[in-house]
Amino acid sequence: SQTIHQWPATLVQPVGSPLSLECTVEGTSNPNLYWYRQAAGRGLQLLFYSVGIGQISSEVPQNLSASRPQDRQFILSSKKLLLSDSGFYLCAWSVLTGRPNTEAFFGQGTRLTVV
Amino acid sequence: GDSVTQMEGPVTLSEEAFLTINCTYTATGYPSLFWYVQYPGEGLQLLLKATKADDKGSNKGFEATYRKETTSFHLEKGSVQVSDSAVYFCALSARNNNAGNMLTFGGGTRLMVKP
């Protein structure tokens, strides 16, 4: 069966420090991969998605970047964190089918607090 | 573009009360519709889905019917339990020209069930 791992679960980082969140998927090949952010008391915002190795699309301009160095690995990074980067970050994957009835499967999330 | 609107919370109910969480959407074409649930401190889990008009998704006593004429996908449960306390997200998935299936989420509705 497919599983998705996301770490760390919680992170407290000072303003201006770098960030690296990692997400890996097991049990499937060539998945679509996604990074979402959930700000406190708000809904989910899609940050990045990837349909293949090295292929990253950004949905919103921001202080973050994403990379996909391997088929089932998706990394969210920042060179210098801002206070506004605080939030709950969720990695997700879906099967690459091009069909809209495919659901996404989410990791457990990383709660990032920038202080 | 695609959008999902769901009722703002929190929704506070007593145990065994009837639940309705409204969700309406705007999308081109024929999207698939989903309800996800997020328990405290966790990622999102798929609760149910419907892939075409008049389909009814159901799971764990929750139901939602895909109403194309009213562009709605309201979530209902006949008798809620304390364990149903969570945040519920309505979402749609429409085919992406880049072959990804991105989910568009509503803002989430927090449900609190009191004993």
Side-chain angles (χ1 to χ4, degrees), chain B residues 8 46 56 65 75 78:
Chain B
E8 291 191 19
L46 179 67
K56 177 185 285 187
T65 301
L75 182 68

Side-chain angles (χ1 to χ4, degrees), chain B residues 24-99:
Chain B
T24 57
Y25 67 90
T26 303
T28 55
Y30 301 94
S32 292
L33 302 173
F34 305 86
W35 276 102
Y36 281 82
V37 59
Q38 184 182 31
Y39 298 103
E42 298 186 8
L44 272 68
Q45 302 174 27
L46 179 67
L47 181 59
L48 52 84
K49 72 175 183 180
T51 59
K52 61 183 186 296
D54 299 326
D55 265 3
K56 177 185 285 187
S58 61
N59 185 26
K60 299 181 180 179
F62 291 89
E63 293 183 339
T65 301
Y66 190 145
R67 301 288 187 196
K68 191 171 185 295
E69 63 276 14
T70 55
T71 61
S72 65
F73 193 53
H74 304 322
L75 182 68
E76 297 181 337
K77 187 174 185 181
S79 176
V80 293
Q81 304 300 312
V82 173
S83 57
D84 293 326
S85 298
V87 180
Y88 292 82
F89 290 93
C90 185
L92 68 82
S93 174
R95 183 169 182 163
N96 180 278
N97 290 333
N98 293 323

